[in-house]
């Protein structure tokens, strides 16, 4: 929450830009006090003014007083959204690779310019989308005879279409700029360097990161932590969750020094494979104990690590680390704020005054 007006009324100009899915966006401005009425609301696009803290001459509340209904029953729209959800699930690596390519990211729009089809990363993403998320799969999905020679490694195989996140790599030619084929010498050097960096800052075993068949939707309770943080950040009234609720999930995942890694389970309560369980515990430990340096490292390594077959598992692990870092960033300040108030109250009740120069108070 933000303090918008304290000593005297202020006038605010609210501007919300449109986007491809702008009709799904809604917002509202209201006092922090529970049950307080909405001061202003709107959708996307919005361009309005609202006085806060009292009335002001020349500042009329031109915003709406209720959020628009974002539920859409158009079957064509819903089919696009289903496609979008499928692409985010089954083509996560390809989407991330395109997002890091300045010329490819401009193509991720409702109508892609013609020049996009000359971009390797964009073509790999299209192949994955067509072969993994459409009812009638193109015939080239399981062959090498078309221009989409790297389609199978980029998610374009029968196995992927049936629900596997990524298929077994095939021997195709990679490049220094993108694609997901066999690593070129340059990519191998970059990949090895980034793997060493991540193993040092994250204490992740290099061989485990290379050979473990990670599934971006199966990182156990770490996925639950990310869902909790997303709900807290994006849902009205934080979806009924507190930031500490999310932080407790993360805390329960961390390694115990005297016991090693904690055996992790998925959402169904089933035990995860040993390597994945170790990876989840290690990521959680780094996030909780040294989030800033770990997330800086993960972000930098993610930029350096290549998208080619030898490092596809490692890249999936890196994406999960970056997603977890974004989730931590969404709730960490709020969690400390929630923790601070009762902690200070208990400290004063125990010692009457707060004095951290005293060792017993620090231990408490």
């Amino acid at each position: 929450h933000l303090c918008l007006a304290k000593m005297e009324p202020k006038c605010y100009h609210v501007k919300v830009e449109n986007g491809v899915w702008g009709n799904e966006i809604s917002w509202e401005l209201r006092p922090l006090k529970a049950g307080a009425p909405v001061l202003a609301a709107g959708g996307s696009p919005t361009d309005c003014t609202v006085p806060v803290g009292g009335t002001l001459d020349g500042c009329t509340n031109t915003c709406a007083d209720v959020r628009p209904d974002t539920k859409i029953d158009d079957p064509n729209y819903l089919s696009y959204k289903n496609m979008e959800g499928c692409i985010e699930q089954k083509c996560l690596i390809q989407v991330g690779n395109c997002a890091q390519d300045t010329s490819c990211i401009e193509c991720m729009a409702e109508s892609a310019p013609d020049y996009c089809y000359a971009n390797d990363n964009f073509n790999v993403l299209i192949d994955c989308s067509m072969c993994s998320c459409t009812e009638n799969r193109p015939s080239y999905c399981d062959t090498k005879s078309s221009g989409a020679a790297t389609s199978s490694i980029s998610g374009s195989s029968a196995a992927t279409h049936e629900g596997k996140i990524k298929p077994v790599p095939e021997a195709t030619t990679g490049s220094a700029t993108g694609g997901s084929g066999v690593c070129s010498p340059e990519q191998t050097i970059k990949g090895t360097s980034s793997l060493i960096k991540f193993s040092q800052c994250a204490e992740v075993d290099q061989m485990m990161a290379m050979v473990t068949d990670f599934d971006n939707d199966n990182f156990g309770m770490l996925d639950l932590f990310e869902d909790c943080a997303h709900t807290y950040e994006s849902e009205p009234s934080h979806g009924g969750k507190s930031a500490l609720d999310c932080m407790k999930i993360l805390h329960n995942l961390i390694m115990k020094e005297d016991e090693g890694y904690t055996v992790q389970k998925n959402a169904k309560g089933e035990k995860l494979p040993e390597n994945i369980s170790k990876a989840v515990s290690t990521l959680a430990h780094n996030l909780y104990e040294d989030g800033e340096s770990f997330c800086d490292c993960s972000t930098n390594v993610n930029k350096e690590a290549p998208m080619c077959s030898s490092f596809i598992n490692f890249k999936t692990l890196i994406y999960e680390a970056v997603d977890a870092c974004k989730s931590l960033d969404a709730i960490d300040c709020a969690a400390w704020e929630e923790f601070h108030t009762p902690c200070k109250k208990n400290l004063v009740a125990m010692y009457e005054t707060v004095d951290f120069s005293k060792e017993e108070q620090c231990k408490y």
Side-chain angles (χ1 to χ4, degrees):
H1 60 274
L2 296 173
C3 181
L4 300 179
K6 190 172 184 180
M7 302 301 295
E8 57 185 24
K10 293 184 179 180
C11 184
Y12 283 91
H13 176 205
V14 182
K15 187 172 183 179
V16 181
E17 300 287 350
N18 206 344
V20 176
W21 306 114
N23 50 355
E24 292 187 339
I25 297 172
S26 66
W27 62 271
E28 64 182 16
L29 179 67
R30 65 165 70 230
L32 184 62
K33 185 177 180 181
V38 174
L39 301 179
S44 176
T46 295
D47 194 342
C48 62
T49 58
V50 56
V52 177
T55 58
L56 282 172
D57 292 337
C59 185
T60 304
N61 188 350
T62 58
C63 302
D65 55 3
V66 294
R67 293 191 296 172
D69 183 5
T70 57
K71 182 179 180 181
I72 299 172
D73 297 321
D74 183 349
N76 292 327
Y77 173 80
L78 293 177
S79 66
Y80 276 114
K81 288 302 294 177
N82 290 338
M83 170 71 82
E84 182 189 35
C86 176
I87 293 172
E88 289 179 350
Q89 179 186 31
K90 296 186 178 181
C91 305
L92 178 69
I93 301 296
Q94 292 74 22
V95 170
N97 200 33
C98 185
Q100 293 184 52
D101 183 339
T102 54
S103 60
C104 183
I105 194 171
E106 296 176 357
C107 302
M108 297 173 70
E110 193 168 5
S111 298
D114 290 341
Y115 69 79
C116 293
Y117 296 95
N119 183 287
D120 288 342
N121 288 327
F122 183 69
N123 284 326
V124 170
L125 176 57
I126 291 298
D127 283 345
C128 179
S129 303
M130 293 297 294
C131 297
S132 301
C133 299
T134 57
E135 293 182 5
N136 299 316
R137 301 176 67 247
S139 58
Y140 67 75
C141 291
D142 296 309
T143 69
K144 297 182 183 180
S145 60
S146 73
T150 59
S151 61
S152 62
I153 183 58
S154 64
S156 307
S157 70
T160 301
H161 192 66
E162 294 170 359
K164 291 181 67 176
I165 295 302
K166 64 181 191 307
V168 178
E170 293 189 26
T172 55
T173 302
S175 69
T177 58
S180 304
V182 171
C183 299
S184 67
E186 181 182 352
Q187 287 176 317
T188 300
I189 293 172
K190 287 184 177 180
T192 303
S193 174
S194 61
L195 182 62
I196 292 173
K197 288 180 182 178
F198 190 70
S199 67
Q200 291 174 342
C201 71
E203 299 178 355
V204 172
D205 181 80
Q206 295 181 32
M207 185 59 67
M208 181 269 287
M210 287 281 287
V211 304
T212 302
D213 189 18
F214 292 110
D215 178 343
N216 56 277
D217 283 331
N218 194 24
F219 276 85
M221 298 301 286
L222 193 59
D223 291 330
L224 186 63
F225 163 71
E226 294 166 5
D227 288 341
C228 180
H230 177 72
T231 298
Y232 179 86
E233 182 182 38
S234 60
E235 295 292 328
S237 301
H238 304 305
K241 298 183 181 295
S242 69
L244 275 179
D245 290 336
C246 306
M247 194 65 81
K248 288 175 182 176
I249 296 174
L250 183 63
H251 177 268
N252 291 337
L253 286 171
I254 65 176
M255 298 183 298
K256 298 179 181 179
E257 294 183 2
D258 56 340
E259 298 178 12
Y261 79 95
T262 303
V263 176
Q264 304 297 336
K265 299 180 180 180
N266 61 20
K268 297 179 181 179
E270 302 165 339
K271 290 184 178 180
L272 296 177
E274 182 178 343
N275 278 354
I276 296 177
S277 190
K278 286 182 178 180
V280 170
S281 290
T282 302
L283 293 182
H285 175 82
N286 286 307
L287 278 170
Y288 193 84
E289 299 293 348
D290 193 12
E292 184 174 1
S293 61
F294 171 71
C295 291
D296 285 344
C297 170
S298 299
T299 300
N300 292 331
V301 168
N302 185 41
K303 294 177 181 178
E304 298 174 10
M307 182 63 59
C308 56
S309 58
S310 296
F311 297 95
I312 199 76
N313 292 321
F314 176 51
K315 195 72 172 178
T316 303
L317 179 64
I318 293 297
Y319 275 131
E320 181 64 23
V322 172
D323 284 344
C325 286
K326 291 179 179 178
S327 299
L328 179 64
D329 191 50
I331 56 100
D332 58 349
C333 291
W336 282 116
E337 186 172 346
E338 292 173 10
F339 179 82
H340 162 266
T341 301
C343 180
K344 182 179 179 181
K345 181 179 178 181
N346 293 338
L347 196 63
V348 171
M350 177 68 71
Y351 298 103
E352 296 185 354
T353 60
V354 178
D355 184 359
F356 286 121
S357 65
K358 297 181 178 178
E359 184 177 354
E360 65 270 18
Q361 289 201 24
C362 291
K363 288 182 178 179
Y364 178 82

